C-alpha cells in the first residue's frame, strides 16, 4: 500500500505521460541499434490480419524454415502479448496473385493496410559463420494499390536483421487493437561496423544456467543484433559439460541436474544459428582447470595443487585433444577459445627441461596446434600475447580484457584482436554505467586502416561469480545493448545527441521487457532497482 | 575471470557436490508444498518414450483441453530443456488395449518403464471458483506387467495439482538421457489446508507488467499450488485498464503501450483458470484513485485535492458502477476487491449532511452494494473493519494487512478474513526471510473451530513501488513458496525438521530456475544475490 507515495507519484506520473508521448510520437526512429542509413515519413499503416511472408525472386529456399520461423516470431513479438483484433470486415480486394487482401479493412481508422513483406535473398547458402554478409535493405511504402514491405539481403542472416528492424517499426495499438507501423514510408540500408559483436554469458562453471535460460539470452542478443555467444563452459568451480571422449570429466559438475549433454550443446548451437548467433566455445587452459581432476585426479599436479594443468603430463594433452575433437563435432564456428588467462606459475608448469614461463608458452602453443588440427582458428586471452606474443600462431585472435592499451599493441604486431577491456565492458562491474558501455570505442588510438581491420570487434562479458538464473538478464541488459550499438552503428552516427540516445535506449529497454527480457532500469548503474513508480521509459 | 576465487571455490565445489548428492538421492520426497500424506519406495522407473495420458473411467470430458494441455506442459517441464533420448529399442510388448509399450526398452539400464498416467475425474464440471474440491489421489506402482500411474480427483483442478506433484517426482537423467521417476512406488493423498492461497503481484499501476510476464507469474503460482492471483489493477499512479463503459479512464495510463485491453484481461483470466488459478480484480476506492481524474477531471474533488473520490459526487458512483459492470463480464471469481484502505479524510469525504468518517463509511457501503448487485462477494482492506466493522455487509471478507491482532477480531465478529500481515507476508519487505514467511501462522490465537473456518487463507503481497518486469520474479520467489506450503500443508506436518524444509525449498528453488522462473537464492533476505559460485541448491 505505502500511501506516502501517492500524491508525489501522481504529478510525476502526469509528467512521465507527457515525456512518453513525446518519445513515442516525435521520435519516429526508435530503432536499436541505429541503422547505417534510415529515412522515415509520417504515415501510419495497419498490418493486415493476413499479414504474410513472400519470397518472390529469392534464391534462398528456406528448406530448414529459418526465415519462416523468424517471420512468425516477429509477428508474435509485435503483439507484445496482447490479443490483436482479427475480425475487421474484409473488402475483398484481390491482388495480382489472386490473394484476398484488404487495403482499407479497418472500418474505424481506415488506415492503409500493409499486406505483408517480400523478402528476396541472393545467396541460397544458410551456413552461418564469421564474416558473412549481414547487410540488408528494407523498404516500407505508404502508397500504392497493394502495400508490401520489401527486404533484400545477401544472406538469410542479413534478412533476420531486417526482420528485427521491421519489428521495431511496429506496435500494438491499444485503442484499435490492431498491429500498426508508424512513420512510413521507410527506407533503410544497414550493415554492421564490426563482424564480431559478442556477449560472454555462459560462465556455466560458477553457476549453472538451465538450457532454456541460455536460449532466452540468445533471443535477446538477436534483438540488439549481437552475433557471438561466448560460452565459457567450464572453470575451476565445476565441469558441467559432457565430453564423450572422456566421460568422467563431468563428474566435476555441481550435481547430476547441473549438466549439459552433448545433445544440449548441439541444440543450443542450432537454436543460436537460426537466429544469426554464433556460439564460441571455450576451454580455459592451462589455468582455471581445477574441476577437471574430480573425474581424472591424475590431471591434478598434486592434491594441494590442482591447477594449472601439468605441462609434463601427456594425459593432459590427450584430454584436451579429446575435448577439442568432441567440440569440433558440435561447435561449427570458425573459432574456439583456448583461454590462457591468469596462469599462476606453479610447479605444474615446471619441467626438468624448461622454466616456468617456458612451460606456460609450450603449453599454450601446443594446445593451439591441437585446436588448429581440428580446423579451428584460435582465440586466447591477452596474457598469452603479453608474455610471448611473437610466438603465437598468426591465426591467433587476442582477446583483450586486462589492459587499456593492449589492442593497439596487438594490431601493431599484426595479430587480430577482440576488445573486452574490463574497466568498460565487464558486465559484472556494476559501477559501470550504460553510458560508459556506450562510449567504449574499440578503435581508440588506432588510425592505420590496415590495423583497424585487425580489430574484429568487441565483447561484453558477464562473469558468473555472483550471477545465476535469478539475476543474469537484468545484469546484462540494458548495458549490453549500449555496447551493441557501439559495435553495429557507423562511428559518425554514434552519440551525436545524448538525449536522443538515452530516449531510444529507454524505448529499447521497454521493448525488451515487453518481449520477456528482464532488462533493468537505465539509471544509475548495472542491475539497478526502480526507485519509484513510473513508466518503464523513464526509469 | 577473477582468479582469486579459484582455490577456495574448488573445495566448496566438492563439498557442495556431496551435499547435493545427499539432497537429491537421500531425500526422496522433494515435493513442494508437502502433501497431506505421501509414502514412497526405492524403485526408479523410466518414463516411456510414448508416455501417454489416459482417462479411463473419467467423467470429465476435457472438451476444452485443460487436462491434455496440462499433461503436455508437465512432460515438457520434466525435460528441463534437455534433449531427451527417444531411440531406445522397442521390445513391442502389447498391453490389453493393444497399444505398443516397452516394459524394458532401455537396453543400458533396463529400468521398469512407466507407460503413462490414467486420470479419473469424478465431476464433468470445469468451472473454477472459490471453494471447489482441490483434493487428489496419486499412485505410482513399481510392479506389474504394464505400469501406469493413477490419478483420481473430484475436479479437473484437483487433477492439475496431482500432475504438478507427479512432475516433481520426475527428472531428466543426464547419463541415460531418459526421463525417470524416483522413489517408486508412490502413494499420495493430498488436499489444501486453506481454500484461499493468494499472491498479489499485479500492482500494475506503480509499474506496468507486460501481459506475458503476468502469465509467467501465473505459471509459477501453479508450481507451488497457489490459487488466487490478486490483480491490484489501478492506483494513484496510473490507470492502465480499459473500461469500455468509461473509455477515457485509461487516459490515466503511463503511455499507450502500457495498457491492458478488456480482451487482455479475459485472456489472463482464461490462462489462469486453465492452471487452476482464480483472478481477483481490485478497484481501490475511495482512496488510491488520483489517476481516475486524468480522463474525467470532474472525479477530482479539486485540482489540489485529487483523492479520495468525492462522496457528494454522484458521477463517482456511476463510474464505479460502470467499472464493476465491465468487471463482471470478465472476472468470474466469486469475489471482487474494493480496497478501502489508507483513506485520508479530506474535504472530499465531507458532505453537508455527514462527518468525514460518516462519508467514508457511506462510500464503502454504497460501493459494496453496487458490487453485490453484480453478484460479487466483497473483499475490503482491514481499515473498513477497523472503522465500522459492525456496518459491513456480512458477505464481506476482511483483508488484514496492517495489524498483528486483526484476524482474531474479524472472525470473533463473525466475518471472514484473509491474512496478509505486512510484517510477515509483504514481499516488498526485503528484510523478511523465507523462514519468517514460512512461520507465519494464519490461525494464531484462533482456537474456536467455527472461527477457524472463517479464516479463508492468506495472501503474500508484491507491491510495485520498486518492482517492475526486471526484478518482480526474484522478489516473489522463493519466499512466496514458503508461504504457499504454510497455506497448503497440514499444520502437524509443517516445520518439524528445519533442515529438511530448507533442503526441500532449495530443491524447489532450483526447480523454479529450471522452469524459467528467476527465483533468488534462499539466503539471506528477499531478492538476494548469490555471493559466491556454487550449486543452486546451496544458495
Amino acid at each position: 500500500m505505502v500511501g506516502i507515495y501517492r500524491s508525489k507519484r501522481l504529478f510525476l506520473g502526469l509528467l512521465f505521460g507527457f515525456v512518453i508521448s513525446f518519445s513515442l510520437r516525435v521520435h519516429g526512429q526508435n530503432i536499436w541499434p541505429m541503422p547505417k542509413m534510415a529515412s522515415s515519413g509520417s504515415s501510419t499503416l495497419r498490418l493486415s490480419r493476413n499479414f504474410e511472408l513472400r519470397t518472390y525472386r529469392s534464391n534462398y529456399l528456406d528448406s530448414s524454415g529459418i526465415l519462416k520461423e523468424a517471420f512468425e516470431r516477429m509477428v508474435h513479438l509485435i503483439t507484445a502479448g496482447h490479443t490483436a483484433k482479427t475480425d475487421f470486415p474484409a473488402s475483398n480486394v484481390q491482388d495480382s496473385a489472386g490473394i484476398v487482401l484488404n487495403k482499407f479493412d479497418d472500418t474505424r481508422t481506415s488506415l492503409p493496410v500493409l499486406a505483408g513483406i517480400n523478402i528476396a535473398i541472393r545467396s541460397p547458402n544458410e551456413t552461418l559463420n564469421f564474416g558473412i554478409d549481414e547487410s540488408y535493405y528494407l523498404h516500407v511504402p505508404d502508397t500504392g494499390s497493394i502495400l508490401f514491405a520489401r527486404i533484400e539481403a545477401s544472406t538469410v542472416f542479413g534478412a533476420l536483421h531486417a526482420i528485427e528492424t521491421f519489428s521495431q517499426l511496429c506496435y500494438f495499438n491499444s485503442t484499435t487493437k490492431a498491429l500498426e507501423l508508424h512513420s512510413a514510408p521507410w527506407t533503410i540500408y544497414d550493415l554492421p561496423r564490426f563482424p564480431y559483436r559478442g556477449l560472454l554469458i555462459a560462465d556455466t562453471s560458477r553457476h549453472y544456467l538451465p538450457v532454456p535460460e541460455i536460449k532466452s539470452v540468445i533471443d535477446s542478443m538477436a534483438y540488439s543484433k549481437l552475433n557471438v555467444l561466448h560460452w565459457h563452459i567450464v572453470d575451476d568451480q565445476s565441469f558441467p559439460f559432457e565430453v564423450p571422449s572422456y566421460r568422467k570429466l563431468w563428474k566435476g559438475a555441481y550435481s547430476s541436474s547441473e549438466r549439459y549433454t552433448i545433445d544440449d550443446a548441439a541444440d543450443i548451437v542450432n537454436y543460436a544459428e537460426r537466429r544469426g548467433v554464433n556460439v564460441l566455445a571455450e576451454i580455459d587452459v592451462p589455468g582455471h582447470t581445477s574441476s577437471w581432476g574430480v573425474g581424472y585426479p591424475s590431471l591434478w599436479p598434486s592434491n594441494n595443487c590442482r591447477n594449472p594443468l601439468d605441462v609434463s603430463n601427456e594425459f593432459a594433452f590427450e584430454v584436451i585433444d579429446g575435448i577439442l575433437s568432441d567440440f569440433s563435432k558440435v561447435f561449427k564456428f570458425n573459432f574456439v577459445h583456448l583461454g590462457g588467462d591468469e596462469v599462476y606459475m606453479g610447479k605444474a608448469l615446471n619441467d626438468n627441461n624448461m622454466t616456468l614461463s617456458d612451460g606456460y608458452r609450450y603449453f599454450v602453443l601446443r594446445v593451439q596446434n591441437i585446436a588448429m588440427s581440428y580446423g579451428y582458428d584460435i582465440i586466447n586471452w591477452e596474457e598469452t600475447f603479453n608474455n610471448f606474443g611473437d610466438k603465437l600462431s598468426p591465426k591467433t585472435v587476442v582477446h583483450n580484457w586486462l589492459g587499456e592499451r593492449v589492442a593497439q599493441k596487438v594490431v601493431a604486431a599484426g595479430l587480430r584482436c577482440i576488445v573486452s577491456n574490463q574497466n568498460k565492458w565487464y558486465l559484472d562491474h556494476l559501477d559501470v554505467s550504460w553510458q560508459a558501455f556506450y562510449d567504449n570505442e574499440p578503435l581508440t588510438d588506432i588510425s592505420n586502416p590496415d590495423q583497424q581491420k585487425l580489430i574484429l570487434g568487441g565483447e561484453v562479458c558477464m562473469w558468473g561469480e555472483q550471477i545465476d538464473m535469478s539475476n543474469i538478464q537484468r545484469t546484462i541488459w540494458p548495458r549490453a545493448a549500449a555496447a551493441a550499438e557501439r559495435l553495429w552503428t557507423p562511428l559518425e552516427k554514434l552519440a551525436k545527441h545524448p538525449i536522443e540516445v538515452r530516449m531510444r535506449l529507454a524505448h529499447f529497454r521497454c521493448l525488451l521487457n515487453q518481449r520477456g527480457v528482464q532488462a533493468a532500469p537505465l539509471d544509475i548503474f548495472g542491475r539497478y532497482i526502480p526507485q519509484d513508480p513510473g513508466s518503464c521509459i523513464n526509469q
Side-chain angles (χ1 to χ4, degrees), chain A:
Chain A
M1 321 304 283
V2 194
I4 53 167
Y5 280 93
R6 188 188 295 104
S7 56
K8 177 177 157 216
R9 291 299 155 271
L10 169 66
F11 301 118
L12 286 176
L14 295 175
L15 171 63
F16 290 167
F18 169 76
V19 176
I20 294 146
S21 309
F22 173 81
S23 69
L24 295 182
R25 307 224 159 65
V26 177
H27 282 285
Q29 299 195 357
N30 269 324
I31 307 165
W32 194 278
M34 180 61 81
K36 180 179 176 66
M37 291 172 41
S39 72
S40 57
S42 58
S43 301
T44 299
L45 312 180
R46 197 172 64 68
L47 275 59
S48 167
R49 67 181 194 283
N50 307 314
F51 195 72
E52 62 171 319
L53 167 65
R54 291 188 182 184
T55 55
Y56 180 60
R57 289 193 175 162
S58 182
N59 301 320
Y60 173 70
L61 301 179
D62 199 32
S63 50
S64 59
I66 293 176
L67 194 61
K68 181 170 179 296
E69 283 179 19
F71 179 82
E72 288 165 355
R73 281 197 306 271
M74 181 267 291
V75 173
H76 175 74
L77 286 176
I78 296 171
T79 65
H82 294 290
T83 306
K85 189 168 168 58
T86 57
D87 62 349
F88 303 107
S91 54
N92 292 346
V93 178
Q94 291 214 344
D95 75 354
S96 52
I99 307 266
V100 173
L101 297 168
N102 314 292
K103 185 154 189 297
F104 297 105
D105 64 359
D106 185 329
T107 53
R108 290 157 305 170
T109 64
S110 70
L111 291 172
V113 170
L114 191 65
I117 309 178
N118 189 88
I119 304 181
I121 299 170
R122 284 183 285 284
S123 168
N125 186 339
E126 64 178 22
T127 304
L128 178 68
N129 221 324
F130 178 74
I132 59 152
D133 186 331
E134 297 181 85
S135 68
Y136 68 88
Y137 167 83
L138 167 64
H139 179 67
V140 183
D142 68 340
T143 57
S145 59
I146 302 296
L147 301 183
F148 263 82
R150 192 161 93 252
I151 289 173
E152 296 171 13
S154 296
T155 68
V156 64
F157 304 105
L160 295 186
H161 291 318
I163 289 172
E164 172 56 36
T165 299
F166 179 87
S167 76
Q168 295 187 23
L169 310 180
C170 302
Y171 61 98
F172 173 80
N173 181 319
S174 56
T175 303
T176 64
K177 318 290 191 283
L179 301 182
E180 297 180 357
L181 181 145
H182 64 73
S183 307
W186 283 93
T187 301
I188 297 174
Y189 174 66
D190 201 11
L191 81 176
R193 181 175 167 218
F194 292 101
Y196 187 107
R197 305 177 305 280
L199 169 64
L200 182 153
I201 68 127
D203 176 10
T204 48
S205 172
R206 278 65 181 260
H207 290 96
Y208 177 83
L209 295 173
V211 171
E213 183 65 8
I214 293 177
K215 289 180 176 179
S216 295
V217 175
I218 289 167
D219 288 332
S220 61
M221 289 174 69
Y223 301 152
S224 55
K225 300 186 171 71
L226 293 171
N227 71 338
V228 180
L229 174 74
H230 178 171
W231 189 359
H232 184 85
I233 303 175
V234 301
D235 206 297
D236 289 310
Q237 289 81 1
S238 73
F239 197 113
F241 194 74
E242 178 181 39
V243 176
S245 300
Y246 290 91
R247 299 208 60 85
K248 291 182 187 169
L249 280 170
W250 72 353
K251 283 191 172 184
Y254 283 133
S255 74
S256 58
S257 59
E258 290 170 288
R259 288 174 167 174
Y260 305 100
T261 69
I262 195 77
D263 295 332
D264 293 337
D267 179 41
I268 287 170
V269 168
N270 176 61
Y271 187 93
E273 287 182 347
R274 295 177 75 83
R275 287 152 179 80
V277 175
N278 299 279
V279 178
L280 171 68
E282 175 178 359
I283 48 166
D284 193 352
V285 291
H288 292 276
T289 54
S290 306
S291 63
W292 297 34
V294 177
Y296 297 98
S298 68
L299 290 172
W300 282 329
S302 71
N303 270 337
N304 48 21
C305 168
R306 298 187 159 188
N307 82 82
L309 292 166
D310 187 342
V311 67
S312 65
N313 181 355
E314 277 304 304
F315 182 58
F317 294 100
E318 291 169 22
V319 170
I320 290 169
D321 189 294
I323 293 172
L324 289 169
S325 171
D326 290 342
F327 270 15
S328 68
K329 300 181 179 82
V330 176
F331 298 109
K332 303 300 185 184
F333 193 37
N334 312 50
F335 299 97
V336 68
H337 203 303
L338 300 177
D341 61 298
E342 296 181 315
V343 179
Y344 301 103
M345 313 289 186
K347 171 191 162 304
L349 286 171
N350 199 351
D351 185 344
N352 304 335
N353 313 321
M354 43 183 130
T355 68
L356 294 175
S357 62
D358 287 348
Y360 174 35
R361 185 185 68 233
Y362 170 82
F363 198 105
V364 168
L365 298 180
R366 182 167 169 186
V367 173
Q368 285 199 333
N369 286 324
I370 297 172
M372 287 189 285
S373 76
Y374 288 106
Y376 282 121
D377 276 20
I378 300 128
I379 303 178
N380 274 114
W381 294 108
E382 70 172 69
E383 290 96 321
T384 58
F385 174 82
N386 301 340
N387 283 279
F388 44 88
D390 58 332
K391 301 290 189 305
L392 291 170
S393 157
K395 297 183 84 173
T396 306
V397 176
V398 178
H399 197 163
N400 154 243
W401 72 278
L402 272 168
E404 266 293 312
R405 311 289 309 165
V406 174
Q408 297 87 335
K409 299 194 190 95
V410 170
V411 296
L415 291 175
R416 294 172 295 178
C417 184
I418 295 166
V419 174
S420 293
N421 47 315
Q422 62 177 344
N423 58 329
K424 296 293 179 63
W425 275 0
Y426 265 28
L427 290 156
D428 50 325
H429 292 208
L430 300 179
D431 59 336
V432 182
S433 68
W434 72 264
Q435 290 92 343
F437 273 76
Y438 192 93
D439 293 338
N440 190 39
E441 173 50 44
L443 296 188
T444 299
D445 297 336
I446 300 175
S447 53
N448 177 323
D450 295 331
Q451 293 184 8
Q452 289 181 343
K453 290 195 189 69
L454 295 174
I455 300 289
L456 303 185
E459 178 176 295
V460 290
C461 300
M462 182 70 278
W463 292 105
E465 282 83 356
Q466 297 193 311
I467 291 294
D468 67 9
M469 165 75 194
S470 69
N471 61 358
I472 183 168
Q473 289 190 30
R474 55 193 302 271
T475 314
I476 294 170
W477 308 105
R479 294 180 302 162
E485 178 154 297
R486 169 66 52 175
L487 290 165
W488 178 276
T489 303
L491 186 59
E492 61 275 15
K493 289 195 77 171
L494 285 171
K496 288 284 172 278
H497 308 290
I499 294 173
E500 181 276 339
V501 172
R502 190 198 190 291
M503 189 61 78
R504 199 159 41 80
L505 182 57
H507 184 277
F508 184 68
R509 182 236 165 183
C510 296
L511 191 73
L512 289 175
N513 285 175
Q514 277 181 4
R515 296 179 175 189
V517 182
Q518 293 88 41
L522 269 61
D523 295 328
I524 300 175
F525 296 126
R527 197 198 291 166
Y528 207 59
I529 302 293
Q531 296 302 295
D532 294 319
S535 168
C536 70
I537 205 143
N538 296 285
Q539 305 195 316

